Amino acid sequence: MQPQTLTELEKVIIRFAGDSGDGMQLTGDRFTLSSALFGNDLATVPDYPAEIRAPAGTLAGVSAFQIHISDHDILTPGDAPNVLVAMNPAALRANLADMAAGSTLIVNTDAFDPRNLAKAGYPADPLTDGSLTGFTIYEVAMTSLTIEAARPSGAKPRDAERSKNLFALGLLCWMYSRPTEAILGWIDERFGRAPAVAEANTLAFKAGYNFGETAELVGGPFTIRPTAFAPGTYTNISGNTALAWGLVAAGQLARLPVLLASYPITPASDILHELSKCQNFGVRTMQAEDEIAAVGAALGAAFGGHLGVTTTSGPGMDLKAETIGLAVSLELPLIVIDVQRGGPSTGLPTKAEQSDLLMAMYGRHGEAPVPIVAPKTPGDCFSCAIEAARIALEYRTPVILLSDGYLANSAEPWLVPDVDALPDIGVDYATEANHVDETGAAQFLPYLRDPTTLARPWAVPGTPGLEHRIGGLEKADGTGAVSYDQANHERMVHLRAAKVAGIAADIPPVTLDDPGGDGELLLLGWGSTYGPIAAAVERLRRRGRRVAHAHLTHLNPFPADLGQVLARYPRVLVPEMNLGQLTSLIRARFLVDAQAVTKVQGQRFRFSEIEAAAEAELATAGGRA
């Protein structure tokens, strides 16, 4: 064998794809961990089948995981993969359209038999019919090589076959010079109770690694240098994990016990799973029998002095609407986390959308405004969980946090914050009377408001002398007694609306990225569109386009200076994964001719799509050709 040359790359985008039972998510997750330990910047995106048990070998059952690793700061998991690992024909066919000419295909040839080809809809074997001309193809008999490698473990061939994803992982670790110690340690930890299984997986992983070395694939291994991160402690984090940790931190910062009451629903369930491990931080979790019970329990916890939280997705938001309206009337702190997915109804359970913004804004009967915050990256979910808690506690209001399926399951390196630098969001319970009546007697008025925030007192049940009525019927201003007086109702409606609107004075101004201050076009986004918008802006500026970027975290109320920012730009373009919901709000509120760039395919935006839309808008506006 000739000595192998290590070739340096700036970045690579790899997609693992196979049946939902092939362990592609696990494979991608372990490759991500190895890359993080190596020190690369990275961004990931999983793609799950929408059906729980789609027929094996069919397009509907394909599961994929994409990772972008680099030696510099990156913003997205990448548009087109450089490498596709296809474990069967369906995985190849489902993902081939995303592969650019000249990219690399690594295929498990053992799966390309007539039966699997037919399931995938191939009339002929693409490995032999010439249809893959233009790609670099590496045919690897992963299944049979795995079975043979695992033979010393004593595992049965069918059980050994399940380790073929570890073979693929080993091969890719060799190709991109990934450290292997953590993966081997994880195998021992995960399968330690079944020594034969652990040995089979270890042997499969090593076989894949050694296969790459002995077969001399692609002329030698590659490497991507570590990224120059700012000093600090980093960990890999997904959006759902960051939300869970943010809720833990919020409870500590507020010095309050936390209750999360939820009904499991894709893609929000992992928040419940993660928080169930955090009892030592004063966190209680409750798996409710349905969505209505979950939000009711969370609101009851808020009445009892807890930080009450419920998590869900779009269908659950439908069911929680009445109780959120009750929380508006009771004026109690409550956090409602909506991890958005494709709809309506059951829709696309495993696919991402941003289609719940108008429901969050208006999806309750009566005049029932609530604050809305939306994270922009997986790591930002941590900060937004704390911000949602701060607003809920200080203003005694339910707050809706809009994440989505892409943020929930994607991962990135995250700088662990300095705990001492996190904000104190503690609030005081009411403990004594707050009013003296005309007779000079002290009394407690449950709806006597703070003059600055318009928040009412938070009196925990059982506090002597602070007993008060709660319920959905309209309350009298001040006393909280049930009131059917028309003028009082109108006053209370205006007070609740003014309380939410007043939060605009307590949130940061718009963060505007416009280096020259002379942008011809403003790209305005919210939520998970941040990465592709920012990447598109970078590429447009390299070609001399004068474009600005603003991204909104607070969607209700909007930042106080948003109208002034919008007025500076002759053209405003709003990319969002819906049919233009933020665009409609912007046009109605600020009377600007904002144009929507929409996508509702259950898939994230590619930066190239936003780049093309911006170029088209600039051309329409008479910008540079």
Side-chain angles (χ1 to χ4, degrees), residues 199-222:
E199 186 180 3
N201 280 278
T202 298
L203 292 171
F205 176 78
K206 291 181 177 180
Y209 192 96
N210 293 332
F211 178 87
E213 193 166 33
T214 57
E216 299 186 37
L217 292 185
V218 295
F222 301 100

Side-chain angles (χ1 to χ4, degrees), residues 265-268 291 311-318 320 337-342 349 356 359:
I265 185 172
T266 302
E291 297 282 4
T311 55
T312 190
S313 187
M317 288 291 288
D318 296 339
K320 294 181 190 294
I337 297 176
D338 175 9
V339 186
Q340 301 164 96
R341 71 190 206 190
D356 295 350
M359 176 168 65

Side-chain angles (χ1 to χ4, degrees), residues 25-110:
Q25 304 304 322
L26 183 147
T27 304
D29 181 70
R30 293 302 95 188
F31 193 85
T32 299
L33 172 65
S34 185
S35 298
L37 291 173
F38 190 75
N40 295 125
D41 195 15
L42 59 90
T44 72
V45 58
D47 188 11
Y48 301 100
E51 298 180 36
I52 295 175
R53 293 189 180 275
T58 65
L59 296 180
V62 173
S63 175
F65 187 103
Q66 182 165 309
I67 177 171
H68 182 185
I69 56 177
S70 77
D71 64 4
H72 57 277
D73 182 47
I74 55 175
L75 297 164
T76 76
D79 277 12
N82 307 113
V83 179
L84 171 65
V85 180
M87 304 301 286
N88 61 15
L92 177 64
R93 187 174 183 193
N95 292 280
L96 190 61
D98 293 338
M99 305 300 295
S103 54
T104 297
L105 308 177
I106 301 174
V107 297
N108 176 20
T109 54
D110 287 329

